[in-house]
Structures are given as structure tokens and as C-alpha cells.
Amino acid sequence: MKAIVTGHTKGLGAAITQELLERGIPVLGLARGRSPDAATRYPGLLTEIELDLSDSAAFAAWLGRGEVGAWLAGCGTALLVNNAGIVSPVGPLAGQDPLQAIRAVTLNVAAPLALAASVVAATVGAERRILHVSSGAGRSAYPGWSVYCATKAALDRHAEAVLLDGDATVRVCSLAPGVIDTGMQAEIRATGEDRFPLRERFVQLKEQGGLSSPEDCARKLVAYLLADGFGSQAVADLREV
């Protein structure tokens, strides 16, 4: 068994990576930087690639080198956790930066879909488990989050369509993990209400202790990813499974 985790150096991605490594599962981490200490703490288990998944040209070039297949060669079960994502651009459509929108769609949608296809193509005969880290924002519209909502909804529809393909060796789930105390949440709280009118709701969640820790969420997420029933639901919420 081997895993690929995107955005493995911070927040939920770092916690997921640590949980997998603690279980002895080798991880290929894809992110713009490197983990400060994980490779030292888990020698031989963590391989890191510095790659900006929002840069479509750089990402395509990396995929073209066949490193996904090389990493997963010979494994009986391949895990893919599409965790990397950004909430920007935030605000009404008239104030959005079009280039930020392109970056968000590339990172939040194109990269997960391309990695999913690459993993399946490289592991014929193996079991493939693909987990998209989605959001409640993919299932309900929020003012100021039109791009974020749309990109997370895309992951939900992708998982549903893959399940309909009927390949029993491909298990996929687009999973909303709940509200987690990460850097993204800090970014949300720092956004002005003129761009995100629901800001106060997230401020109150922080003040009232309503945020899950990345570590607690990662334990539940990885347990679900490895469970026998994973993939029976294409779209799910971690708080309900």
C-alpha cells in the first residue's frame, strides 16, 4: 500500500500525512514546499516533491515524466488524498481577480481530476482509493465564495460520475471533513465582511471552540479511507459516516 497526498506540509494535509506515516504507509507528498521534520521522523517512508499544483504547465510537465507510475509500481493498494486547495478569490463577482479564479480552478479541480486519472492508469490490477477533500461549500452556496463553492461542487460530481462508471477496483469519495482549525480558517476570519458576509459565523465558531483539530479530523479521515465501506458513498460528510 502506498499513498499520494497533496498539500502535505500544512494543516489537514500535514495531519493526514502523519497519520498515514504512523501506520507505516509510504507517502508521496506534493506541495510547494517541504515538511520541516516529517522526513526525518519517518525515514524511508516520506518522499516529497516540490510542485505548485496551481501552475498547470509545471504540473503537466511533472505528470509527463511518469513519476506517479514509478511511485506506485507494484503496490497492491494505491491511495490518493486530494487535499490541496484554496478559498481565494473571495468576494462578489465584480471584484474577483480572473487570474486568481484560474489558479483556484487549476488547484482545486484540474489537479485532483488529473491525479485521479493518473493513479488509475498507473495501477491496473490494483485497488485504487481516491479521496477528494471537499466541503459543505460544495453543497450549499455561500455569498462571496462563488469560485470555492463551484470548485468543491465539481469534486462531488466527479466522485459521483466515477462511481457510476462501475469499476469495482476504483473506490472514490468526495468527503466534507467539517470545519477545521487551519490556516484557511484564519484566512476566512481575516476577510472583510464586504467580501464575505458570513465571516462572523466563522469567528464565532473559533471563539466558541467549534473547530475540529487537524489531528482529530485526520484520524477519522484516514480510518474512513481504509475502512471496508469506503467508496460506497460517492459524496459524504466525515461527521456523519
Side-chain angles (χ1 to χ4, degrees):
M1 182 179 292
K2 286 186 173 182
I4 298 174
V5 180
T6 65
H8 74 286
T9 61
K10 298 177 182 178
L12 180 59
I16 291 168
T17 298
Q18 180 173 322
E19 184 67 23
L20 290 167
L21 295 172
E22 286 284 350
R23 293 169 180 261
I25 299 172
V27 173
L28 176 66
L30 306 178
R32 289 179 296 171
R34 291 177 177 267
S35 174
D37 60 356
T40 302
R41 291 169 57 200
Y42 303 96
L45 284 178
L46 177 62
T47 300
E48 299 182 274
I49 302 292
E50 292 186 58
L51 180 64
D52 185 352
L53 295 173
S54 69
D55 182 337
S56 58
F59 179 47
W62 181 79
L63 284 178
R65 291 197 289 271
E67 293 189 41
V68 169
W71 169 255
L72 296 173
C75 75
T77 300
L79 309 175
L80 171 62
V81 181
N82 284 312
N83 162 77
I86 52 174
V87 69
S88 299
V90 175
L93 191 59
Q96 290 179 10
D97 180 345
L99 297 182
Q100 278 195 335
I102 291 173
R103 179 170 180 256
V105 172
T106 303
L107 177 60
N108 293 2
V109 183
L113 271 54
L115 280 170
S118 297
V119 165
V120 170
T123 53
V124 176
E127 179 184 33
R128 288 71 67 92
R129 296 186 175 217
I130 299 165
L131 190 151
H132 298 320
V133 176
S134 186
S135 168
R139 296 151 203 184
S140 300
Y142 289 76
W145 276 6
S146 57
V147 173
Y148 187 63
C149 290
T151 57
K152 291 303 183 180
L155 296 181
D156 291 356
R157 299 294 84 73
H158 178 262
E160 289 175 335
V162 170
L163 186 63
L164 291 174
D165 288 339
D167 185 341
T169 69
V170 179
R171 301 188 183 195
V172 61
C173 180
S174 189
L175 185 69
V179 188
I180 310 163
D181 197 0
T182 64
M184 181 180 286
Q185 280 296 311
E187 180 184 348
I188 291 167
R189 294 192 301 272
T191 303
E193 289 190 2
D194 58 325
R195 291 193 295 136
F196 185 53
L198 300 182
R199 171 187 173 275
E200 186 60 26
R201 178 190 300 180
F202 290 86
V203 171
Q204 290 179 5
L205 279 172
K206 173 67 172 178
E207 292 176 346
Q208 296 170 4
L211 303 180
S212 302
S213 73
E215 293 75 18
D216 184 54
C217 180
R219 281 191 293 271
K220 296 174 182 177
L221 184 149
V222 171
Y224 183 62
L225 173 63
L226 299 177
D228 290 342
F230 179 81
S232 59
Q233 292 178 261
V235 175
D237 190 307
L238 188 59
R239 294 164 292 189
E240 299 173 357
V241 296

